[in-house]
Amino acid sequence: MPQHFDDGGLAAASPYPAAVRAEKQLKRMGLKTAAAIAMHNAPEGLATFVAYIADPTVGVTLAVAIACHNIPEGLCIALPIYYSTGSRHRGFLLAVFTGMTEPIGAFAGWIVILATGKDVNQLVYGILFGAIAGMMIMIAFLELLPTAHRYDPHD
């Protein structure tokens, strides 16, 4: 185990053998990754929906790009769960569940647009894109930067 890896004090305080600790830590990492990616996917769905409404070509292009980057995201969820539990189904289902937050984000955008009427104006687009940008900035500051600092505090 690398010296800069923080096991949360498991090694010193745990009565479990090292292999059990490693499995628990791997499962916890997979679940935390699933939660973070689920929160990350909702604004992506919203962005894709709003982009499609504004310009279908841009929306489809964005959807394909996001779908491509969702493959490694799904693996980041499924593999730790599979290796910690031995269940392919659990890993797969958890990855699918986190991916379902994208259509939920798109649905939220649809509800906002329906609530504002059939005539979608630039103000609604501005508010939705601003909300998306704010969500992505918060994800970066609350998830990505602290995780990067935890694993490499010197850089």
Side-chain angles (χ1 to χ4, degrees):
M1 185 180 313
Q3 289 180 350
H4 65 275
F5 187 79
D6 178 17
D7 68 355
L10 283 177
S14 178
Y16 300 110
V20 173
R21 281 196 314 267
E23 285 179 3
K24 286 181 179 239
Q25 187 173 6
L26 193 57
K27 185 176 181 180
R28 188 169 50 247
M29 181 183 73
L31 292 173
K32 285 181 181 179
T33 302
I37 289 176
M39 289 185 292
H40 163 89
N41 281 347
E44 285 180 354
L46 179 59
T48 303
F49 176 74
V50 173
Y52 182 81
I53 295 296
D55 182 355
T57 304
V58 172
V60 169
T61 303
L62 183 60
V64 169
I66 288 175
C68 290
H69 105 269
N70 282 349
I71 294 169
E73 282 182 356
L75 291 173
C76 288
I77 296 165
L79 290 175
I81 299 301
Y82 167 67
Y83 281 110
S84 66
T85 65
S87 173
R88 290 181 184 168
H89 292 108
R90 283 185 188 167
F92 175 77
L93 290 175
L94 189 58
V96 168
F97 172 73
T98 59
M100 293 309 295
T101 57
E102 281 189 26
I104 291 169
F107 182 71
W110 181 63
I111 294 296
V112 167
I113 288 174
L114 280 181
T116 61
K118 296 282 184 193
D119 182 25
V120 180
N121 60 33
Q122 296 301 317
L123 177 64
V124 174
Y125 283 128
I127 291 169
L128 288 174
F129 279 122
I132 294 163
M135 288 178 206
M136 292 300 192
I137 290 169
M138 291 307 296
I139 288 168
F141 281 109
L142 297 177
E143 294 175 23
L144 300 177
L145 291 175
T147 301
H149 182 70
R150 183 173 45 238
Y151 287 99
D152 190 7
H154 304 294
D155 201 10

